[in-house]
Amino acid sequence: MTLRSQNEHEKIPCALAPSAKPTPARLKWLLLLTLWLAYGFAINSGNLNAFALQHAGVEAYVERHTLYLEGSSHQRLQVQPVVDAFLYEGHIYPAKQPGQFMAGAVAYFPLHALGLSYARDYLLTAALVTFLTASLATAAGALAVYGVAREFLPAGSKLFWPLLCALSYGLGTTAFAYSGIAWHDSLATGYLAVAFYLLVRLSRGDERGRSMAARAAAAGGLLGLTITTSMLPSFMAAVVALYFFSLRRRELLIWFVLGGLVGLAPLLVYNAVCFGNPVLLPNVAGNYSDTYFRPSWGNFLSKLEFYARMLTLYAPVFWAGLAGLLLLPSRLRREQATLLVMLFALAAYILNIEANGTCQYGPRYLLPAMPFACVGLTGFGLLRGAGIRKVLAASVSACALVSFLINLVGAMHGAMLCDFPHSALGMYLSEMWNGGMRSYPLARWLALPLCLCVALLAHSLATRKPPADSSLV
């Protein structure tokens, strides 16, 4: 090898260049299944009972074919127009985007056809609907984080940083604590993460024809579904759309726009049918003014302190990811700017509204930021010097482990925490130790498949041939 070629080899190549050794599909599937099954295992009665509103809409869609909530024969699903539901022209509607109920209806329809129902076995049915919606979307989002990290890192890099990014998001943030709830923000975050991954792949330009058009249409559709499901990450979705426009792929514009319209169509139809105006959103129709953008210096400072404290207590790995984002090299400047602007857009909204998420385990309104902050961990893997990378790898891994333990407790015990203690960890552990354990409707069915997937994933990683340049950690 000549001196020139050796120096070129030591340089960090463009992260968006085609990878010499793509990750085997088997490993990706095992990662997805392992996380999905882990989420299903942790689905518990505490969350299922506390977040019954999410299932009231699903039951209404499938069993009574109505878009309003009243009429259920099951006491737990009889919703009153208070807090998260409101009365509008004689009917009770949820103060939520309809996407979560539509996704739940897709899952519940075949279950109901097979004889399951909320009335006969609420916990099992609600657990299955959750497992097939929010849990799956969160696992898909974690896989997308893995994929983006692989695109950011040089060809031939080890899988350490991509796996750490994916596992930090999937198990070390509040995404884990909310993966067992059929929650609109969990679904929307998964859609948004996958859409961003598809566009990062699109930016490589190593594919042509139908596959590129399908990728653009799918990304647009997922961005539309993100807004249909939750307004919280809507500004982030707009930033991702701007990222697509920055790629200047004019031949794909029509597919991207068509996909976006398809994803938005359910929301527009729902608004028109329920409220008589396709752009009249549920929180506006219900006059939930605490979610309206209303800048106030005092509110801004109090919210800033609140979210900084909550992140430190419940997802400390977020700070590591944010620091890593700032270290991304110039080759990734467009992606770095997109990620930072997405985080800024979310912060600009949640720091300037009155609401703070009310009952929650960790900063619920920051849930859409978690996958994109965790992608930033790749910044440490792109630093020069094997020694510093190893030190940072150990430090970030320890931080991720602490975050995992915190959110494991939240996932197992429930997210309906209303008194906002300095940290719920000690209180939750005390309750669990004193016999206050929840029931886990799917645990006995998923325990063996989960153990099998963990073993297969570990085996695949252990037997995978290391890259030629072992210094690329």
Side-chain angles (χ1 to χ4, degrees):
M1 180 182 290
T2 65
L3 179 60
R4 179 179 177 182
S5 63
Q6 183 177 355
N7 289 337
E8 290 176 351
H9 178 69
E10 290 175 350
K11 291 179 181 179
I12 295 178
C14 177
L16 298 185
S19 176
K21 281 191 176 183
T23 307
R26 179 183 62 182
L27 194 149
K28 295 178 183 177
W29 277 107
L30 285 172
L31 178 60
L32 175 70
L33 287 172
T34 298
L35 290 172
W36 187 28
L37 293 171
Y39 298 153
F41 184 92
I43 292 174
N44 61 79
S45 57
N47 281 331
L48 297 176
N49 287 324
F51 293 89
L53 173 67
Q54 278 60 42
H55 299 281
V58 174
E59 185 202 48
Y61 284 19
V62 174
E63 295 191 19
R64 297 187 299 282
H65 313 297
T66 64
L67 298 177
Y68 45 82
L69 301 180
E70 68 267 19
S72 176
S73 61
H74 190 9
Q75 184 177 2
R76 190 179 278 109
L77 300 181
Q78 293 173 1
V79 179
Q80 299 301 318
V82 293
V83 187
D84 286 334
F86 62 95
L87 192 65
Y88 188 90
E89 295 187 353
H91 292 297
I92 301 173
Y93 294 97
K96 311 289 183 185
Q97 301 288 85
Q100 63 177 332
F101 307 114
M102 295 174 180
V106 171
Y108 183 46
F109 183 83
L111 295 175
H112 188 252
L114 292 172
L116 284 173
S117 73
Y118 288 108
R120 292 190 186 94
D121 193 335
Y122 172 79
L123 290 180
L124 177 60
T125 304
L128 286 171
V129 170
T130 302
F131 180 60
L132 295 171
T133 55
S135 299
L136 181 57
T138 305
L143 187 61
V145 169
Y146 171 86
V148 173
R150 284 286 284 162
E151 298 299 328
F152 280 11
L153 289 167
S157 296
K158 291 181 179 180
L159 297 182
F160 173 81
W161 287 106
L163 285 172
L164 183 60
C165 289
L167 295 176
S168 293
Y169 165 63
L171 299 176
T173 70
T174 48
F176 188 16
Y178 282 87
S179 64
I181 307 168
W183 194 251
H184 52 294
D185 294 335
S186 299
L187 285 163
T189 300
Y191 298 155
L192 187 61
V194 175
F196 181 68
Y197 166 69
L198 292 174
L199 294 183
V200 169
R201 286 280 298 166
L202 203 67
S203 69
R204 291 175 47 166
D206 59 344
E207 299 178 25
R208 292 291 183 272
R210 295 180 179 177
S211 61
M212 298 290 275
R215 201 181 296 276
L222 287 169
L223 291 180
L225 277 177
T226 298
I227 299 173
T228 293
T229 304
S230 174
M231 285 304 297
L232 182 62
S234 58
F235 293 125
M236 301 176 75
V239 174
V240 176
L242 291 176
Y243 173 72
F244 168 78
F245 294 133
S246 75
L247 301 179
R248 299 180 180 179
R249 304 300 298 269
R250 293 184 179 87
E251 74 279 10
L252 300 174
L253 179 60
I254 183 63
W255 299 106
F256 180 77
V257 172
L258 285 175
L261 291 175
V262 170
L264 279 172
L267 173 63
L268 300 177
V269 172
Y270 176 87
N271 291 340
V273 171
C274 296
F275 312 125
N277 186 337
V279 296
L280 182 58
L281 300 173
N283 69 315
V284 178
N287 194 29
Y288 286 82
S289 58
D290 60 343
T291 63
Y292 298 170
F293 190 81
R294 190 173 297 157
S296 163
W297 186 243
N299 181 65
F300 177 87
L301 291 178
S302 66
K303 290 293 191 301
L304 188 64
E305 185 276 333
F306 171 77
Y307 285 113
R309 176 168 58 88
M310 294 287 272
L311 279 172
T312 304
L313 292 174
Y314 291 94
V317 75
F318 180 95
W319 297 118
L322 192 60
L325 270 180
L326 301 176
L327 296 175
L328 290 176
S330 58
R331 296 180 181 87
L332 295 169
R333 194 65 69 223
R334 177 167 51 192
E335 287 71 27
Q336 180 190 48
T338 300
L339 291 167
L340 290 174
V341 173
M342 288 171 69
L343 298 180
F344 176 81
L346 179 64
Y349 174 67
I350 65 174
L351 295 177
N352 289 284
I353 60 175
E354 182 182 343
N356 64 4
T358 60
C359 301
Q360 58 192 315
Y361 186 87
R364 178 168 65 83
Y365 280 175
L366 279 172
L367 186 59
M370 297 300 173
F372 306 103
C374 289
V375 164
L377 296 176
T378 54
F380 299 121
L382 290 166
L383 292 174
R384 296 184 182 278
I388 186 64
R389 287 202 304 270
K390 289 180 179 178
V391 170
L392 288 170
S395 301
V396 174
S397 297
C399 183
L401 179 60
V402 171
S403 295
F404 162 66
L405 294 175
I406 294 170
N407 287 284
L408 172 64
V409 173
M412 298 293 288
H413 201 57
M416 186 61 79
L417 178 68
C418 297
D419 54 356
F420 295 130
H422 292 294
S423 172
L425 183 63
M427 181 179 72
Y428 271 22
L429 288 174
S430 176
E431 290 177 2
M432 296 167 75
W433 180 260
N434 291 313
M437 290 293 294
R438 314 300 190 188
S439 64
Y440 304 91
L442 303 182
R444 60 175 177 172
W445 308 106
L446 300 183
L448 183 58
L450 174 59
C451 292
L452 180 61
C453 282
V454 170
L456 290 174
L457 179 61
H459 180 265
S460 295
L461 292 172
T463 58
R464 185 174 185 268
K465 186 178 179 180
D469 185 358
S470 60
S471 66
L472 293 173
V473 177

